[in-house]
Amino acid sequence: MKKTALAFLLGFCFLSAHAEQDPWTALNQEAKRHLINLINIDTSLPEPDEISAARYLYKELNKHQIDWDIFIPNKGRANLMARIKGSDPSKKPLLLISHLDTAPAAEGWSYPPFKATVENGNIYGLGATDAKNYTAAYLALFTWLKDQEIFPQRDIIFLATSGEESGSETGILWLGGEHWDKINAGFALNEGGGIIKNKGGTDIIFAEASTKMYMNVKVTAYGTGVHSSMPVNDNAVYLLSQALAKIAAYDPPAKITSTARAFFKAIAPLQDEDGRTTINFLLSGSPQNQDSAAEIMALDPFFRSQLKDTLNPTILSASKDTGSTGGEASAVINVRLLPESDPDEFFENLKKLFEGNENISLEILERPQTPFPAPMDGTDELFASISKTAGKLLPNAITVPGMSPASGDNEFLRKKGVITYGLGPDMDPLADNTAHTPDEFISEQDFFNQLRFISGIVFDFAYGKDLLPLTPLNTLPTNDTATN
């Protein structure tokens, strides 16, 4: 009997010790459960069911006796906020923000977009990387922090917003105008950056410190509409094709923004000799050498996004009848402008391509709100916490503030004076970004890494100490399962 009791006691001690060695397991399981459940709620445009997603969040908050507020701009849309109070009111709150809505499900999915599928180490579903992974990680961390009954030094705010994918008019833009007194954050973490893996080299923590400006321009060609059996040379589709070819050949000049300068300076030591020389020319060469270096670097699509205004056709419209050609054909050109560009000047330069051509017209469908907010410069205390946490989880990586080619809620927060950085999971700017694409997914490993990175920053910035051990990122915790 004594032997059995002793064996049981030793076994219990072993299990307890094993659990202590792997403290992230429960938190990771909870975050994964939230991600799966949130993917299973269809919040896609044009009619996102954000109310159901918000209901899921507040039911989870209720389980942990966390008070929450819901802000409803109109039927079906919802923003949800919760707060953990800090002990020092002189310290400005930290905002953990994500959005509930997703882009529409693109054609070509082989997995169901609104039913999470866990397969081959990946979690598939619409919103897996944009941005239900953020909401799930924040929710799991937020409820875990509340359960610890340890007061942070500053308030921590969890905010899940509406309408980010359609201009934020029901989300942060509306909240900023109507309810900002209830938020009033000083710092924020959001989507936008990530960990750029460099095989065999130094990894880069890309902390999004600025974004490009979002602009849509409509190009319309006017031709002769006739029966399709009677072809004409001024077919509107042909004229539009010629106009798009001109736009494709248009190459805006390179500009070196303060954020781009800091980014290229930081990554220069990671390049080979040719790369370092090119970056040195870009940053400190003669005007001619700077231009030449910029053109060489712009051959890389990501570097191009850092150095130039870019244009990309998205929506094409023409006749809907196969038996006739309409008198008009149009295309929407999505423009991403550098923060220091002038939208009106850019538009005038674009129109000059078609001077004297009465068959082509251009109009601005969506214009950026100016003045655009200044970028973060990486000298603030939140960036210091980001760098400090990165040093624990990825000891050999470098942390740099960078400019995201995309845009989102961060620009609205920065206009409010909120020091805001975008972070995320492992990223490849060209190959592995599956947001807005069929079979959107996040790997379970990358999601766990994202959870640990966010948690570590919150620990350091809001509590001043690590509440869980932070060791270099490697593998998933054991017994990793998730259920509803």
Side-chain angles (χ1 to χ4, degrees):
M1 187 69 179
K2 290 182 179 180
K3 289 183 178 180
T4 304
L6 179 61
F8 175 82
L9 181 61
L10 290 173
F12 178 80
C13 292
F14 173 79
L15 290 173
S16 299
H18 180 73
E20 290 175 2
Q21 292 172 0
D22 191 20
W24 289 93
T25 298
L27 188 56
N28 186 59
Q29 289 175 346
E30 192 75 346
K32 182 178 172 183
R33 179 177 70 86
H34 293 325
L35 178 56
I36 290 171
N37 291 338
L38 286 167
I39 288 172
N40 293 346
I41 302 171
D42 180 1
T43 57
S44 64
L45 294 175
E47 296 181 357
D49 185 11
E50 294 166 347
I51 285 287
S52 292
R55 186 177 295 115
Y56 174 82
L57 298 181
Y58 70 63
K59 286 182 177 180
E60 291 296 322
L61 295 171
N62 287 343
K63 294 177 184 178
H64 300 266
Q65 292 78 52
I66 299 174
D67 293 334
W68 47 269
D69 290 298
I70 191 166
F71 305 97
I72 300 176
N74 50 54
K75 185 178 180 181
R77 313 306 294 268
N79 302 268
L80 185 133
M81 185 185 76
R83 182 187 299 261
I84 297 175
K85 293 292 292 183
S87 60
D88 187 349
S90 69
K91 290 183 177 291
K92 293 182 178 180
L94 171 65
L95 176 67
L96 305 177
I97 180 174
S98 62
H99 60 91
L100 296 172
D101 61 317
T102 72
E107 295 182 2
W109 279 76
S110 55
Y111 296 94
F114 308 117
K115 177 66 176 176
T117 303
V118 183
E119 186 176 295
N120 300 323
N122 298 322
I123 303 172
Y124 295 87
L126 191 63
T129 60
D130 187 16
K132 294 184 176 182
N133 54 323
Y134 294 85
T135 307
Y138 292 159
L139 179 61
L141 174 62
F142 196 81
T143 53
W144 184 86
L145 290 171
K146 176 63 167 57
D147 292 345
Q148 303 314 300
E149 297 184 350
I150 304 172
F151 285 109
Q153 296 170 0
R154 66 179 78 237
D155 287 9
I156 305 171
I157 304 168
F158 169 50
L159 179 63
T161 66
S162 165
E164 190 272 348
E165 296 290 358
S166 54
S168 301
E169 292 184 356
T170 58
I172 196 63
L173 197 57
W174 176 73
L175 291 169
E178 299 293 328
H179 300 285
W180 187 249
D181 60 316
K182 297 180 178 67
I183 303 170
N184 199 24
F187 302 87
L189 292 176
N190 195 8
E191 63 178 334
I195 304 169
I196 302 176
K197 290 294 199 178
N198 184 9
K199 295 179 180 178
T202 302
D203 296 333
I204 300 171
I205 311 300
F206 186 91
E208 185 258 80
S210 179
T211 67
K212 298 186 84 169
M213 293 188 285
Y214 187 99
M215 183 175 180
N216 279 327
V217 174
K218 184 179 181 181
V219 181
T220 303
Y222 302 94
T224 300
V226 296
H227 193 278
S228 59
S229 65
M230 302 293 292
V232 291
N233 291 332
D234 64 343
N235 182 305
V237 175
Y238 290 153
L239 298 178
L240 177 64
S241 299
Q242 294 164 14
L244 293 178
K246 273 195 172 184
I247 291 173
Y250 178 55
D251 189 18
K255 303 170 189 174
I256 307 174
T257 66
S258 58
T259 307
R261 180 175 293 278
F263 174 73
F264 285 120
K265 183 178 180 180
I267 69 169
L270 310 182
Q271 312 303 308
D272 59 20
E273 184 176 353
D274 288 342
R276 289 194 299 272
T277 300
T278 304
I279 290 177
N280 287 337
F281 279 146
L282 177 75
L283 299 181
S284 57
S286 66
Q288 182 177 356
N289 283 340
Q290 283 186 325
D291 290 342
S292 297
E295 293 306 317
I296 291 172
M297 295 181 69
L299 295 174
D300 178 279
F302 182 71
F303 287 167
R304 179 182 180 85
S305 74
Q306 303 296 296
L307 294 168
K308 295 192 175 194
D309 301 325
T310 61
L311 309 91
N312 219 353
T314 53
I315 301 173
L316 301 177
S317 302
S319 173
K320 296 182 180 179
D321 178 13
T322 59
S324 64
T325 61
E328 294 184 13
S330 65
V332 175
I333 309 297
N334 183 242
V335 180
R336 304 296 174 115
L337 300 174
L338 294 167
E340 297 172 9
S341 293
D342 182 330
D344 294 323
E345 180 183 350
F346 178 89
F347 182 63
E348 290 302 316
N349 288 335
L350 199 59
K351 288 201 299 184
K352 288 178 182 178
L353 298 176
F354 305 101
E355 277 184 338
N357 189 340
E358 297 180 354
N359 293 323
I360 301 295
S361 72
L362 278 72
E363 63 175 313
I364 297 176
L365 296 180
E366 186 173 348
R367 186 187 185 281
Q369 294 186 0
T370 53
F372 205 67
M376 306 294 95
D377 61 8
T379 61
D380 53 86
E381 52 188 316
L382 179 55
F383 187 82
S385 283
I386 293 170
S387 298
K388 184 177 178 181
T389 303
K392 297 173 184 176
L393 297 177
L394 293 160
N396 298 318
I398 63 169
T399 304
V400 297
M403 179 180 63
S404 170
S407 57
D409 285 345
N410 291 348
E411 65 182 87
F412 303 121
L413 291 169
R414 291 177 185 131
K415 283 182 180 178
K416 284 289 187 182
V418 181
I419 294 172
T420 305
Y421 288 97
L423 295 170
D426 291 2
M427 60 181 281
D428 183 324
L430 301 179
D432 294 333
N433 183 4
T434 64
H436 295 209
T437 65
D439 292 342
E440 180 180 351
F441 75 91
I442 187 169
S443 80
E444 295 182 79
Q445 182 66 63
D446 289 351
F447 183 53
F448 178 54
N449 290 350
Q450 179 186 5
L451 173 66
R452 289 189 65 194
F453 197 10
I454 291 168
S455 300
I457 296 166
V458 173
F459 294 163
D460 183 76
F461 189 68
Y463 291 84
K465 59 182 178 180
D466 291 341
L467 302 183
L468 288 176
L470 293 175
T471 55
L473 299 177
N474 41 48
T475 57
L476 283 165
T478 58
N479 302 318
D480 186 43
T481 59
T483 61
N484 290 333

